[in-house]
Amino acid sequence: GHYRGAAASAPLRVTKLDLSANRLADRAAVELAHALSAEASSLQVLNLNENGIGNEGGAALGRALPSSPGLRRLGLKSNPLGGGAGEALAAGLEGSSVLALSLENSAVPYSCVEAAERLVLANRKRWEEGRPQRSESRRRALETTSEELNRVRAQLAWERAELTATEAQLEEAAAQLYSLRGEIHSREEEDEARLAACQESTRQAELSAREEAEKLAKDRKMWHETLNMKEASLLMAEKAAARARDRMKRANCSTKVEVRSVVAEVEPLREAVLLASAALESANEAACEAEARLTQEALGEQGVSPICDR
């Protein structure tokens, strides 16, 4: 189930695994066989001695051997494998690279054990014959790995230099960003101060405009009241003037009659005044002449020439 899927999808990353005397039984052996069959398995030595593995688990391990090219040693002694597991192990050894297989006390038929030993010896012979090739391949692989390592080192050095340059650029950008943030903060504070001043100015202007509007409304009301009063006064004056004109008309009629009578009475008096004025003028001339004579007489007695200035 779930365990099998996990084992099949997760290859073994160890080179040596000793699970002897752990009572694993067939189920665990089957899961280990799936793990051995997974790609990139690096297991070279697997010890499953004394685990109660039977025919099912041993057969699964035998089928997994051809797909486990890295496995070199397999221990299965003291397990009740049986004939089916022995045949599967012998068949699996033919296409594997196993160099040692222990099957003591495993209930495997002698024919299967003999075939297994023969195949293991053949694997060892091929292993020995291929040692120079493997050494050469390993040397070439090491050279290739060394070249690849040098290339990777050069790449890492270049990337490190790029990273250093990038870090310097990031530090410069961070400094610029910090400066820009400070400038933005300062501008925001200035803008807030200007906005507050504008809002206060606007508020004052609105207050002044409201007061001016209220004053204008009061003045307009007062002007209307004054105008109404003046219109009422003008109307009253016009009425009074009309009444006065009527009275003057009536008074003119009576005044003309009175004037005529007064003129008739004053005319004799004017003539009397004219006569009295003439008599007074004559009396003044007589008095002046009398004064002149008296003055002349007085000066004649004193020997002074008379001067008469009327």
Side-chain angles (χ1 to χ4, degrees), residues 209-220:
R210 190 179 297 110
E211 292 177 353
E212 187 68 21
E214 292 176 355
K215 182 179 179 181
L216 289 175
K218 291 180 180 179
D219 292 344
R220 188 179 293 109

Side-chain angles (χ1 to χ4, degrees), residues 127-146:
W127 175 264
E128 293 296 333
E129 290 175 352
R131 186 184 297 275
Q133 295 178 356
R134 288 194 301 274
S135 299
E136 182 65 20
S137 299
R138 187 177 294 110
R139 185 184 63 80
R140 292 177 181 177
L142 288 175
E143 291 178 354
T144 303
T145 303
S146 179

Side-chain angles (χ1 to χ4, degrees), residues 9 34 42 66 74 76 84 93 111 163 177-178 187 209 256 290-291:
S9 60
H34 284 292
S42 61
L74 178 61
L76 289 172
L93 286 170
S111 59
L163 180 61
L177 180 61
Y178 182 78
R187 290 184 178 179
K256 289 179 180 179
E291 183 180 357

Side-chain angles (χ1 to χ4, degrees), residues 226-241:
T226 304
L227 181 62
N228 292 332
M229 292 175 63
K230 289 184 177 180
E231 288 178 351
S233 299
L234 180 61
L235 182 61
M236 293 176 63
E238 288 178 351
K239 291 181 180 179

Side-chain angles (χ1 to χ4, degrees), residues 161-235:
E162 287 290 326
L163 180 61
T164 302
T166 303
E167 288 177 349
Q169 293 176 357
L170 288 175
E171 290 179 358
E172 183 179 358
Q176 293 177 356
L177 180 61
Y178 182 78
S179 177
L180 183 60
R181 284 179 178 174
E183 183 178 354
I184 291 174
H185 183 68
S186 299
R187 290 184 178 179
E188 287 178 350
E189 290 181 349
E190 293 177 358
D191 292 341
E192 289 178 356
R194 291 196 190 97
L195 180 60
C198 291
Q199 290 176 348
E200 180 64 21
S201 177
T202 303
R203 191 182 67 81
Q204 293 293 337
E206 290 177 352
L207 183 60
S208 299
R210 190 179 297 110
E211 292 177 353
E212 187 68 21
E214 292 176 355
K215 182 179 179 181
L216 289 175
K218 291 180 180 179
D219 292 344
R220 188 179 293 109
K221 182 179 180 181
M222 184 180 65
W223 294 338
H224 282 296
E225 292 176 353
T226 304
L227 181 62
N228 292 332
M229 292 175 63
K230 289 184 177 180
E231 288 178 351
S233 299
L234 180 61
L235 182 61

Side-chain angles (χ1 to χ4, degrees), residues 14-36:
V14 295
T15 58
K16 294 181 181 181
L17 183 61
D18 186 359
L19 296 175
S20 59
N22 276 293
R23 301 178 182 179
L24 298 180
D26 286 334
R27 182 178 178 183
V30 172
E31 299 300 333
L32 283 171
H34 284 292
L36 286 172

